[in-house]
Amino acid sequence: QSDHARAIAAAIAESVEYLARNRFGALLVVERRTGLGGLVEGGVELDALVSARLIETIFYPNSALHDLAVVVRGDRVVAAGVQLPLPEGGVPISPQLGSRHRAAVGLTLESDALVVVVSEETGAVRLAEQGVLSEPIPPGALKAALEAGMTRNAETPAEDGSGDAPPAAEVAEANR
């Protein structure tokens, strides 16, 4: 696992823990092998190094970009204010969860992205990957879950699929 992935995961985790504590809703998309260029074009294009302060500023309530998603590619925030498409039909998530969570799961059904969702109502943090939404992730556990998810699909997975278990399953198991 690279120092690069650890640093990005640490910055995202730090910002997300701040957002969750303050109940500022957020949607962060970490691009992996599947390019999300079409989505990025619909948002406000940025080219800024990932930092906790930048992410916190974007999602601060009443900022112009706080309501939609941020897309991270490598060590860059490439876009903010990105509208994620809501999936057609139902997605397998609790009806108590809102459109932010449905959009996160929907995107992961169409791409290999890793999506972090912060609930505005509860401050709960969840990860979406491969169409699965994790249980809430306790503070302090997000960085490890992000590191695992960011490195898991950074390279071609093993042919037997052993490199593709979603962190949602790992987080659910760890929380038992």
Side-chain angles (χ1 to χ4, degrees), residues 32-106:
R32 294 193 287 194
R33 289 175 302 171
T34 304
L36 300 172
L39 277 180
V40 168
E41 290 170 10
V44 176
E45 291 191 45
L46 303 174
D47 182 23
L49 280 171
V50 170
S51 75
R53 299 300 163 261
L54 176 61
I55 294 168
E56 291 164 13
T57 301
I58 290 169
F59 287 111
Y60 195 84
N62 301 320
S63 81
L65 301 174
H66 86 279
D67 252 349
L68 301 172
V70 161
V71 176
V72 173
R73 176 181 301 140
D75 66 351
R76 313 297 290 180
V77 174
V78 294
V82 175
Q83 177 75 51
L84 300 184
L86 286 173
E88 307 263 334
V91 292
I93 65 169
S94 166
Q96 286 84 25
L97 299 174
S99 58
R100 195 176 271 127
H101 295 85
R102 281 194 297 282
V105 171

